Amino acid sequence: MANKVEEFNSYRERMNDKILGDNNKIIKRIFNLDTNAFAAGALDVKTKELLGLVASTVLRCDDCVKYHLETSYKNGLKKEEVVEALSIATLVGGTIVIPHLRRAYEYWDELETSTENL
């Protein structure tokens, strides 16, 4: 089985290229806004990623959770910090987010494993 991290990133990149290739002004602006919203500002990037992770978990968007987990990992967040954010998401979102919490743990483990094998 392919590495889950590589598989997710490959699919995301391929589909983003396809979507942006249609040259729709509104979609391009939304993508740009999303990118710029997570740049450092009054809040640092790590804090913004944790906010994105919590919101994505509560909204039950697995792709979004994976994206924010990976970006958090790449920005040096520790598992304990991520787990604490996920605990807030579970508190706010309720037990319905527990399946997403499971998948988040699984993906974080995959991130750690992928890095160890480089």
Side-chain angles (χ1 to χ4, degrees), residues 5-30:
V5 174
E6 290 173 10
E7 187 177 295
F8 172 71
N9 286 326
S10 175
Y11 173 78
R12 185 174 180 276
E13 183 178 349
R14 185 175 73 254
M15 293 310 298
N16 283 353
D17 288 347
K18 185 173 186 154
I19 291 165
L20 293 172
D22 278 344
N23 207 25
N24 180 284
K25 187 188 313 185
I26 295 168
I27 291 174
K28 280 187 161 188
R29 286 183 177 175
I30 290 169

PDB file of all heavy atoms in Angstrom, residues 5-30:
ATOM      1  N   VAL A   5       0.575   9.577   3.387  1.00  0.00           N
ATOM      2  CA  VAL A   5       0.957  10.983   3.259  1.00  0.00           C
ATOM      3  C   VAL A   5       1.254  11.311   1.796  1.00  0.00           C
ATOM      4  O   VAL A   5       0.749  12.299   1.256  1.00  0.00           O
ATOM      5  CB  VAL A   5       2.166  11.321   4.164  1.00  0.00           C
ATOM      6  CG1 VAL A   5       2.643  12.740   3.931  1.00  0.00           C
ATOM      7  CG2 VAL A   5       1.810  11.088   5.634  1.00  0.00           C
ATOM      8  N   GLU A   6       2.058  10.466   1.155  1.00  0.00           N
ATOM      9  CA  GLU A   6       2.381  10.691  -0.257  1.00  0.00           C
ATOM     10  C   GLU A   6       1.127  10.610  -1.126  1.00  0.00           C
ATOM     11  O   GLU A   6       0.946  11.417  -2.042  1.00  0.00           O
ATOM     12  CB  GLU A   6       3.401   9.657  -0.739  1.00  0.00           C
ATOM     13  CG  GLU A   6       4.782   9.836  -0.158  1.00  0.00           C
ATOM     14  CD  GLU A   6       5.727   8.697  -0.523  1.00  0.00           C
ATOM     15  OE1 GLU A   6       5.373   7.865  -1.383  1.00  0.00           O
ATOM     16  OE2 GLU A   6       6.812   8.643   0.066  1.00  0.00           O
ATOM     17  N   GLU A   7       0.279   9.642  -0.840  1.00  0.00           N
ATOM     18  CA  GLU A   7      -0.963   9.465  -1.606  1.00  0.00           C
ATOM     19  C   GLU A   7      -1.866  10.698  -1.481  1.00  0.00           C
ATOM     20  O   GLU A   7      -2.392  11.199  -2.477  1.00  0.00           O
ATOM     21  CB  GLU A   7      -1.690   8.220  -1.081  1.00  0.00           C
ATOM     22  CG  GLU A   7      -2.885   7.806  -1.868  1.00  0.00           C
ATOM     23  CD  GLU A   7      -3.472   6.526  -1.293  1.00  0.00           C
ATOM     24  OE1 GLU A   7      -2.790   5.486  -1.339  1.00  0.00           O
ATOM     25  OE2 GLU A   7      -4.618   6.582  -0.794  1.00  0.00           O
ATOM     26  N   PHE A   8      -2.029  11.196  -0.266  1.00  0.00           N
ATOM     27  CA  PHE A   8      -2.851  12.379  -0.040  1.00  0.00           C
ATOM     28  C   PHE A   8      -2.277  13.591  -0.756  1.00  0.00           C
ATOM     29  O   PHE A   8      -2.992  14.323  -1.452  1.00  0.00           O
ATOM     30  CB  PHE A   8      -2.982  12.664   1.468  1.00  0.00           C
ATOM     31  CG  PHE A   8      -3.668  13.973   1.770  1.00  0.00           C
ATOM     32  CD1 PHE A   8      -5.030  14.129   1.554  1.00  0.00           C
ATOM     33  CD2 PHE A   8      -2.946  15.047   2.261  1.00  0.00           C
ATOM     34  CE1 PHE A   8      -5.653  15.335   1.821  1.00  0.00           C
ATOM     35  CE2 PHE A   8      -3.567  16.258   2.535  1.00  0.00           C
ATOM     36  CZ  PHE A   8      -4.929  16.400   2.320  1.00  0.00           C
ATOM     37  N   ASN A   9      -0.969  13.809  -0.618  1.00  0.00           N
ATOM     38  CA  ASN A   9      -0.340  14.980  -1.236  1.00  0.00           C
ATOM     39  C   ASN A   9      -0.375  14.914  -2.754  1.00  0.00           C
ATOM     40  O   ASN A   9      -0.592  15.934  -3.420  1.00  0.00           O
ATOM     41  CB  ASN A   9       1.092  15.152  -0.734  1.00  0.00           C
ATOM     42  CG  ASN A   9       1.119  15.677   0.684  1.00  0.00           C
ATOM     43  OD1 ASN A   9       0.274  16.454   1.098  1.00  0.00           O
ATOM     44  ND2 ASN A   9       2.090  15.226   1.453  1.00  0.00           N
ATOM     45  N   SER A  10      -0.182  13.741  -3.300  1.00  0.00           N
ATOM     46  CA  SER A  10      -0.223  13.576  -4.746  1.00  0.00           C
ATOM     47  C   SER A  10      -1.616  13.889  -5.286  1.00  0.00           C
ATOM     48  O   SER A  10      -1.766  14.630  -6.273  1.00  0.00           O
ATOM     49  CB  SER A  10       0.183  12.151  -5.118  1.00  0.00           C
ATOM     50  OG  SER A  10       0.040  11.938  -6.495  1.00  0.00           O
ATOM     51  N   TYR A  11      -2.626  13.343  -4.645  1.00  0.00           N
ATOM     52  CA  TYR A  11      -4.011  13.601  -5.072  1.00  0.00           C
ATOM     53  C   TYR A  11      -4.350  15.086  -4.936  1.00  0.00           C
ATOM     54  O   TYR A  11      -4.893  15.695  -5.851  1.00  0.00           O
ATOM     55  CB  TYR A  11      -4.981  12.766  -4.239  1.00  0.00           C
ATOM     56  CG  TYR A  11      -6.424  13.105  -4.504  1.00  0.00           C
ATOM     57  CD1 TYR A  11      -7.063  12.631  -5.647  1.00  0.00           C
ATOM     58  CD2 TYR A  11      -7.144  13.916  -3.630  1.00  0.00           C
ATOM     59  CE1 TYR A  11      -8.385  12.948  -5.915  1.00  0.00           C
ATOM     60  CE2 TYR A  11      -8.458  14.240  -3.888  1.00  0.00           C
ATOM     61  CZ  TYR A  11      -9.076  13.752  -5.024  1.00  0.00           C
ATOM     62  OH  TYR A  11     -10.382  14.089  -5.286  1.00  0.00           O
ATOM     63  N   ARG A  12      -3.996  15.666  -3.802  1.00  0.00           N
ATOM     64  CA  ARG A  12      -4.295  17.081  -3.546  1.00  0.00           C
ATOM     65  C   ARG A  12      -3.641  17.970  -4.595  1.00  0.00           C
ATOM     66  O   ARG A  12      -4.270  18.867  -5.158  1.00  0.00           O
ATOM     67  CB  ARG A  12      -3.829  17.441  -2.138  1.00  0.00           C
ATOM     68  CG  ARG A  12      -4.177  18.833  -1.694  1.00  0.00           C
ATOM     69  CD  ARG A  12      -3.784  19.016  -0.213  1.00  0.00           C
ATOM     70  NE  ARG A  12      -4.126  20.341   0.195  1.00  0.00           N
ATOM     71  CZ  ARG A  12      -3.344  21.405  -0.013  1.00  0.00           C
ATOM     72  NH1 ARG A  12      -2.183  21.278  -0.599  1.00  0.00           N
ATOM     73  NH2 ARG A  12      -3.739  22.602   0.380  1.00  0.00           N
ATOM     74  N   GLU A  13      -2.363  17.725  -4.871  1.00  0.00           N
ATOM     75  CA  GLU A  13      -1.643  18.538  -5.852  1.00  0.00           C
ATOM     76  C   GLU A  13      -2.247  18.380  -7.257  1.00  0.00           C
ATOM     77  O   GLU A  13      -2.472  19.366  -7.966  1.00  0.00           O
ATOM     78  CB  GLU A  13      -0.167  18.148  -5.882  1.00  0.00           C
ATOM     79  CG  GLU A  13       0.660  18.989  -6.824  1.00  0.00           C
ATOM     80  CD  GLU A  13       2.139  18.626  -6.813  1.00  0.00           C
ATOM     81  OE1 GLU A  13       2.574  17.858  -5.929  1.00  0.00           O
ATOM     82  OE2 GLU A  13       2.858  19.117  -7.704  1.00  0.00           O
ATOM     83  N   ARG A  14      -2.519  17.141  -7.636  1.00  0.00           N
ATOM     84  CA  ARG A  14      -3.085  16.880  -8.959  1.00  0.00           C
ATOM     85  C   ARG A  14      -4.437  17.573  -9.127  1.00  0.00           C
ATOM     86  O   ARG A  14      -4.703  18.230 -10.133  1.00  0.00           O
ATOM     87  CB  ARG A  14      -3.222  15.368  -9.174  1.00  0.00           C
ATOM     88  CG  ARG A  14      -3.682  14.976 -10.558  1.00  0.00           C
ATOM     89  CD  ARG A  14      -3.694  13.461 -10.770  1.00  0.00           C
ATOM     90  NE  ARG A  14      -4.785  12.803 -10.059  1.00  0.00           N
ATOM     91  CZ  ARG A  14      -4.667  12.066  -8.955  1.00  0.00           C
ATOM     92  NH1 ARG A  14      -3.475  11.861  -8.428  1.00  0.00           N
ATOM     93  NH2 ARG A  14      -5.709  11.514  -8.386  1.00  0.00           N
ATOM     94  N   MET A  15      -5.281  17.464  -8.145  1.00  0.00           N
ATOM     95  CA  MET A  15      -6.614  18.055  -8.244  1.00  0.00           C
ATOM     96  C   MET A  15      -6.573  19.575  -8.133  1.00  0.00           C
ATOM     97  O   MET A  15      -7.326  20.273  -8.815  1.00  0.00           O
ATOM     98  CB  MET A  15      -7.554  17.444  -7.214  1.00  0.00           C
ATOM     99  CG  MET A  15      -7.855  15.971  -7.475  1.00  0.00           C
ATOM    100  SD  MET A  15      -8.369  15.610  -9.188  1.00  0.00           S
ATOM    101  CE  MET A  15      -9.863  16.576  -9.320  1.00  0.00           C
ATOM    102  N   ASN A  16      -5.701  20.106  -7.290  1.00  0.00           N
ATOM    103  CA  ASN A  16      -5.564  21.564  -7.212  1.00  0.00           C
ATOM    104  C   ASN A  16      -5.100  22.132  -8.545  1.00  0.00           C
ATOM    105  O   ASN A  16      -5.601  23.167  -8.993  1.00  0.00           O
ATOM    106  CB  ASN A  16      -4.596  21.967  -6.100  1.00  0.00           C
ATOM    107  CG  ASN A  16      -5.209  21.880  -4.720  1.00  0.00           C
ATOM    108  OD1 ASN A  16      -6.407  21.644  -4.570  1.00  0.00           O
ATOM    109  ND2 ASN A  16      -4.390  22.038  -3.700  1.00  0.00           N
ATOM    110  N   ASP A  17      -4.151  21.447  -9.183  1.00  0.00           N
ATOM    111  CA  ASP A  17      -3.687  21.896 -10.507  1.00  0.00           C
ATOM    112  C   ASP A  17      -4.838  21.888 -11.509  1.00  0.00           C
ATOM    113  O   ASP A  17      -4.984  22.815 -12.312  1.00  0.00           O
ATOM    114  CB  ASP A  17      -2.558  21.003 -11.015  1.00  0.00           C
ATOM    115  CG  ASP A  17      -1.249  21.222 -10.276  1.00  0.00           C
ATOM    116  OD1 ASP A  17      -1.125  22.226  -9.537  1.00  0.00           O
ATOM    117  OD2 ASP A  17      -0.341  20.377 -10.433  1.00  0.00           O
ATOM    118  N   LYS A  18      -5.642  20.859 -11.456  1.00  0.00           N
ATOM    119  CA  LYS A  18      -6.784  20.753 -12.375  1.00  0.00           C
ATOM    120  C   LYS A  18      -7.798  21.872 -12.108  1.00  0.00           C
ATOM    121  O   LYS A  18      -8.285  22.525 -13.033  1.00  0.00           O
ATOM    122  CB  LYS A  18      -7.444  19.384 -12.227  1.00  0.00           C
ATOM    123  CG  LYS A  18      -8.547  19.139 -13.205  1.00  0.00           C
ATOM    124  CD  LYS A  18      -9.038  17.705 -13.129  1.00  0.00           C
ATOM    125  CE  LYS A  18     -10.046  17.492 -14.237  1.00  0.00           C
ATOM    126  NZ  LYS A  18     -10.127  16.120 -14.655  1.00  0.00           N
ATOM    127  N   ILE A  19      -8.109  22.082 -10.851  1.00  0.00           N
ATOM    128  CA  ILE A  19      -9.075  23.119 -10.472  1.00  0.00           C
ATOM    129  C   ILE A  19      -8.569  24.502 -10.871  1.00  0.00           C
ATOM    130  O   ILE A  19      -9.282  25.285 -11.504  1.00  0.00           O
ATOM    131  CB  ILE A  19      -9.361  23.058  -8.957  1.00  0.00           C
ATOM    132  CG1 ILE A  19     -10.147  21.785  -8.626  1.00  0.00           C
ATOM    133  CG2 ILE A  19     -10.111  24.299  -8.479  1.00  0.00           C
ATOM    134  CD1 ILE A  19     -10.182  21.436  -7.145  1.00  0.00           C
ATOM    135  N   LEU A  20      -7.334  24.800 -10.517  1.00  0.00           N
ATOM    136  CA  LEU A  20      -6.774  26.119 -10.822  1.00  0.00           C
ATOM    137  C   LEU A  20      -6.528  26.299 -12.319  1.00  0.00           C
ATOM    138  O   LEU A  20      -6.532  27.417 -12.819  1.00  0.00           O
ATOM    139  CB  LEU A  20      -5.500  26.356 -10.019  1.00  0.00           C
ATOM    140  CG  LEU A  20      -5.721  26.474  -8.508  1.00  0.00           C
ATOM    141  CD1 LEU A  20      -4.385  26.501  -7.777  1.00  0.00           C
ATOM    142  CD2 LEU A  20      -6.571  27.665  -8.151  1.00  0.00           C
ATOM    143  N   GLY A  21      -6.352  25.187 -13.024  1.00  0.00           N
ATOM    144  CA  GLY A  21      -6.148  25.234 -14.467  1.00  0.00           C
ATOM    145  C   GLY A  21      -7.362  25.740 -15.225  1.00  0.00           C
ATOM    146  O   GLY A  21      -7.244  26.207 -16.364  1.00  0.00           O
ATOM    147  N   ASP A  22      -8.536  25.662 -14.619  1.00  0.00           N
ATOM    148  CA  ASP A  22      -9.742  26.191 -15.264  1.00  0.00           C
ATOM    149  C   ASP A  22      -9.780  27.714 -15.247  1.00  0.00           C
ATOM    150  O   ASP A  22     -10.623  28.327 -15.882  1.00  0.00           O
ATOM    151  CB  ASP A  22     -11.007  25.639 -14.599  1.00  0.00           C
ATOM    152  CG  ASP A  22     -11.365  24.263 -15.124  1.00  0.00           C
ATOM    153  OD1 ASP A  22     -10.854  23.867 -16.180  1.00  0.00           O
ATOM    154  OD2 ASP A  22     -12.177  23.582 -14.461  1.00  0.00           O
ATOM    155  N   ASN A  23      -8.871  28.321 -14.472  1.00  0.00           N
ATOM    156  CA  ASN A  23      -8.706  29.772 -14.456  1.00  0.00           C
ATOM    157  C   ASN A  23      -9.974  30.528 -14.039  1.00  0.00           C
ATOM    158  O   ASN A  23     -10.285  31.586 -14.581  1.00  0.00           O
ATOM    159  CB  ASN A  23      -8.192  30.266 -15.814  1.00  0.00           C
ATOM    160  CG  ASN A  23      -7.409  31.547 -15.676  1.00  0.00           C
ATOM    161  OD1 ASN A  23      -6.856  31.837 -14.617  1.00  0.00           O
ATOM    162  ND2 ASN A  23      -7.365  32.327 -16.736  1.00  0.00           N
ATOM    163  N   ASN A  24     -10.689  29.969 -13.062  1.00  0.00           N
ATOM    164  CA  ASN A  24     -11.867  30.645 -12.524  1.00  0.00           C
ATOM    165  C   ASN A  24     -11.403  31.668 -11.492  1.00  0.00           C
ATOM    166  O   ASN A  24     -10.746  31.320 -10.507  1.00  0.00           O
ATOM    167  CB  ASN A  24     -12.818  29.626 -11.893  1.00  0.00           C
ATOM    168  CG  ASN A  24     -14.047  30.271 -11.316  1.00  0.00           C
ATOM    169  OD1 ASN A  24     -13.986  30.872 -10.256  1.00  0.00           O
ATOM    170  ND2 ASN A  24     -15.161  30.131 -12.009  1.00  0.00           N
ATOM    171  N   LYS A  25     -11.735  32.925 -11.722  1.00  0.00           N
ATOM    172  CA  LYS A  25     -11.256  34.019 -10.875  1.00  0.00           C
ATOM    173  C   LYS A  25     -11.684  33.850  -9.415  1.00  0.00           C
ATOM    174  O   LYS A  25     -10.899  34.069  -8.500  1.00  0.00           O
ATOM    175  CB  LYS A  25     -11.776  35.352 -11.406  1.00  0.00           C
ATOM    176  CG  LYS A  25     -11.184  36.550 -10.674  1.00  0.00           C
ATOM    177  CD  LYS A  25     -11.808  37.886 -11.018  1.00  0.00           C
ATOM    178  CE  LYS A  25     -11.993  38.141 -12.470  1.00  0.00           C
ATOM    179  NZ  LYS A  25     -12.493  39.496 -12.754  1.00  0.00           N
ATOM    180  N   ILE A  26     -12.925  33.445  -9.185  1.00  0.00           N
ATOM    181  CA  ILE A  26     -13.425  33.302  -7.813  1.00  0.00           C
ATOM    182  C   ILE A  26     -12.670  32.197  -7.085  1.00  0.00           C
ATOM    183  O   ILE A  26     -12.207  32.387  -5.950  1.00  0.00           O
ATOM    184  CB  ILE A  26     -14.936  33.051  -7.816  1.00  0.00           C
ATOM    185  CG1 ILE A  26     -15.667  34.271  -8.368  1.00  0.00           C
ATOM    186  CG2 ILE A  26     -15.434  32.716  -6.403  1.00  0.00           C
ATOM    187  CD1 ILE A  26     -17.129  34.039  -8.684  1.00  0.00           C
ATOM    188  N   ILE A  27     -12.532  31.044  -7.734  1.00  0.00           N
ATOM    189  CA  ILE A  27     -11.824  29.931  -7.096  1.00  0.00           C
ATOM    190  C   ILE A  27     -10.371  30.306  -6.831  1.00  0.00           C
ATOM    191  O   ILE A  27      -9.841  30.038  -5.747  1.00  0.00           O
ATOM    192  CB  ILE A  27     -11.937  28.649  -7.943  1.00  0.00           C
ATOM    193  CG1 ILE A  27     -13.383  28.145  -7.907  1.00  0.00           C
ATOM    194  CG2 ILE A  27     -10.971  27.566  -7.447  1.00  0.00           C
ATOM    195  CD1 ILE A  27     -13.676  26.978  -8.815  1.00  0.00           C
ATOM    196  N   LYS A  28      -9.720  30.953  -7.786  1.00  0.00           N
ATOM    197  CA  LYS A  28      -8.334  31.366  -7.580  1.00  0.00           C
ATOM    198  C   LYS A  28      -8.207  32.324  -6.397  1.00  0.00           C
ATOM    199  O   LYS A  28      -7.264  32.241  -5.610  1.00  0.00           O
ATOM    200  CB  LYS A  28      -7.771  32.011  -8.846  1.00  0.00           C
ATOM    201  CG  LYS A  28      -7.345  31.010  -9.887  1.00  0.00           C
ATOM    202  CD  LYS A  28      -6.635  31.701 -11.029  1.00  0.00           C
ATOM    203  CE  LYS A  28      -5.839  30.673 -11.797  1.00  0.00           C
ATOM    204  NZ  LYS A  28      -4.980  31.278 -12.798  1.00  0.00           N
ATOM    205  N   ARG A  29      -9.161  33.223  -6.269  1.00  0.00           N
ATOM    206  CA  ARG A  29      -9.120  34.177  -5.154  1.00  0.00           C
ATOM    207  C   ARG A  29      -9.340  33.482  -3.814  1.00  0.00           C
ATOM    208  O   ARG A  29      -8.711  33.838  -2.815  1.00  0.00           O
ATOM    209  CB  ARG A  29     -10.136  35.293  -5.369  1.00  0.00           C
ATOM    210  CG  ARG A  29      -9.671  36.254  -6.438  1.00  0.00           C
ATOM    211  CD  ARG A  29     -10.604  37.401  -6.633  1.00  0.00           C
ATOM    212  NE  ARG A  29     -10.045  38.315  -7.628  1.00  0.00           N
ATOM    213  CZ  ARG A  29     -10.666  39.369  -8.086  1.00  0.00           C
ATOM    214  NH1 ARG A  29     -11.880  39.671  -7.657  1.00  0.00           N
ATOM    215  NH2 ARG A  29     -10.087  40.149  -8.978  1.00  0.00           N
ATOM    216  N   ILE A  30     -10.211  32.487  -3.787  1.00  0.00           N
ATOM    217  CA  ILE A  30     -10.439  31.740  -2.544  1.00  0.00           C
ATOM    218  C   ILE A  30      -9.175  30.985  -2.155  1.00  0.00           C
ATOM    219  O   ILE A  30      -8.768  30.987  -0.986  1.00  0.00           O
ATOM    220  CB  ILE A  30     -11.657  30.803  -2.681  1.00  0.00           C
ATOM    221  CG1 ILE A  30     -12.933  31.645  -2.753  1.00  0.00           C
ATOM    222  CG2 ILE A  30     -11.718  29.811  -1.525  1.00  0.00           C
ATOM    223  CD1 ILE A  30     -14.176  30.863  -3.142  1.00  0.00           C
TER     224      ILE A  30
END
